[in-house]
Amino acid sequence: MITSEVENYPGFDHGIQGPDLMAIMRKQAERFETRFITKNVTKVDFSKRPFKLWIEDELIQAKAVIIATGASAKWLGIPSEQTFMGKGVSACATCDGAFFKKQDVVVVGGGDTAMEEANFLTRFCNKIYLVHRRDEFRASKIMQERVLKNPKVEVIYDTKVDEILGDMKGVNKVRLKNIKSNQTREVSVTGIFMAIGHKPNTEIFKEFIKLDQAEYIQTKPGTTQTNVEGVFAAGDVQDHIYRQAVTAAGTGCMAALEAERFLERNH
Ligand code: NDP
């Protein structure tokens, strides 16, 4: 819902806006009489079947559950980030990179995602400033080397983003602050990509559902089954590797088939 143009979802040869894609998917599900409740699930009890889910104060009981709550990109938390969201501020180079052809951009982060995004952006952009808060990357050696060798990337260590600056048209500068010297400098860029990690939306499930170290839901390899029989997980909430709309839709299909088979066996 928060991405702008989706260029890589199969079947849309001219791309499609994220919210439009969601609206079409919803309509398609309505055709098969899906009922929608657009509210937050606040609590669950998966200790026995039927499973219990509280939607605010209302209790819903279910014979099977598919969790598809996704993962949220982490943000820096500075106010200007919100101001320019979608107007130069992005957390997904794969989604938005192509809008920055021949332009200069900043990538923030020092992990594999930051390396991957910086590298990916060199296909489109003129110059990439890779800004990291420490003097060494946590990314794997091979990913680092690829970036460090690329002449389009300038690495700026020991530095945080102080402010994102711009006008009605969007971002036009980023002010950076060296955390050792406290010196600031401005770089003229039209985009800034946050690559500082993701947080899976698993908080309300963790009492019952097995999570990995990074709090993603653990599923049995090759399936969408969680540790609780009858509870399945699909999409980014259980996948920190691919994180694409198409892979999420694919695991969603797997979860639907597995839930159906489970219900046939367990009325
Ligand atoms: P990581 O948590 O590994 O890295 C996040 C980076 O962002 C760190 O360098 C961290 O700095 C920095 N950071 C975090 N918070 C802030 C902040 N508030 N301000 C400034 N900088 C911040 O996340 P990734 O998304 O990079 O990777 C997640 C997982 O996915 C990893 O296991 C990774 O290996 C994997 N992955 C693998 C890929 C591949 O193999 N092709 C591609 C992409 C991801 P610091 O280092 O100082 O903590």
Side-chain angles (χ1 to χ4, degrees):
M1 286 301 289
I2 62 160
T3 190
S4 46
E5 189 139 8
V6 180
E7 302 243 41
N8 59 2
Y9 197 83
F12 295 92
D13 57 345
H14 291 95
I16 181 165
Q17 293 291 311
D20 293 342
L21 180 61
M22 291 300 98
I24 297 173
M25 285 192 186
R26 185 178 170 131
K27 258 191 169 159
Q28 190 178 7
E30 269 166 3
R31 245 183 76 209
F32 299 101
E33 294 173 17
T34 305
R35 280 186 293 147
F36 292 87
I37 304 171
T38 313
K39 285 184 185 163
N40 287 329
V41 175
T42 44
K43 202 174 94 176
V44 299
D45 182 352
F46 293 160
S47 58
K48 57 177 190 295
R49 289 179 80 223
F51 303 121
K52 293 190 177 77
L53 300 95
W54 283 266
I55 296 167
E56 289 158 16
D57 288 336
E58 189 188 347
L59 170 67
I60 302 247
Q61 304 207 60
K63 289 181 178 173
V65 175
I66 298 173
I67 300 172
T69 45
S72 305
K74 287 191 201 156
W75 299 97
L76 296 174
I78 52 175
S80 49
E81 195 174 41
Q82 284 300 323
T83 313
F84 295 109
M85 188 73 67
K87 290 183 195 155
V89 174
S90 169
C92 179
T94 329
C95 323
D96 300 330
F99 303 116
F100 295 86
K101 278 193 186 109
K102 298 206 169 76
Q103 299 174 37
D104 295 357
V105 298
V106 165
V107 171
V108 187
D112 282 334
T113 303
M115 303 302 126
E116 198 169 65
E117 304 234 320
N119 215 20
F120 178 78
L121 287 165
T122 59
R123 293 191 208 172
F124 309 102
C125 301
N126 201 35
K127 179 170 183 131
I128 291 109
Y129 297 95
L130 179 55
V131 175
H132 182 37
R133 64 182 176 185
R134 288 189 297 133
D135 61 2
E136 60 176 359
F137 292 132
R138 70 166 62 229
S140 57
K141 271 268 165 336
I142 185 158
M143 303 274 281
Q144 288 191 35
E145 275 166 15
R146 229 174 270 160
V147 165
L148 294 171
K149 268 202 283 198
N150 198 312
K152 280 188 171 181
V153 181
E154 180 182 329
V155 180
I156 306 178
Y157 294 106
D158 293 322
T159 296
K160 65 172 198 163
V161 174
D162 201 35
E163 200 64 85
I164 302 163
L165 309 162
D167 55 26
M168 293 290 283
K169 281 193 269 170
V171 173
N172 56 31
K173 275 194 193 105
V174 170
R175 191 167 65 227
L176 303 171
K177 188 175 191 174
N178 184 299
I179 41 186
K180 286 190 175 153
S181 69
N182 269 340
Q183 267 186 342
T184 57
R185 71 181 265 206
E186 284 180 2
V187 287
S188 293
V189 293
T190 48
I192 173 163
F193 289 86
M194 307 305 169
I196 59 173
H198 281 77
K199 192 179 175 343
N201 302 317
T202 49
E203 191 60 33
I204 56 169
F205 307 113
K206 64 181 184 197
E207 194 184 332
F208 303 97
I209 301 292
K210 225 187 207 163
L211 308 178
D212 68 13
Q213 265 184 337
E215 300 196 342
Y216 285 81
I217 293 180
Q218 277 187 343
T219 47
K220 289 196 188 122
T223 77
T224 62
Q225 250 181 65
T226 69
N227 59 305
V228 178
E229 227 204 331
V231 178
F232 306 88
D236 292 14
V237 74
Q238 53 86 53
D239 164 29
H240 60 86
I241 299 172
Y242 302 104
R243 290 204 300 253
Q244 298 295 301
V246 59
T247 47
T251 52
C253 171
M254 285 166 64
L257 293 173
E258 285 167 20
E260 192 175 31
R261 278 175 206 152
F262 170 79
L263 290 172
E264 272 169 17
R265 289 195 310 269
N266 306 274
H267 291 292

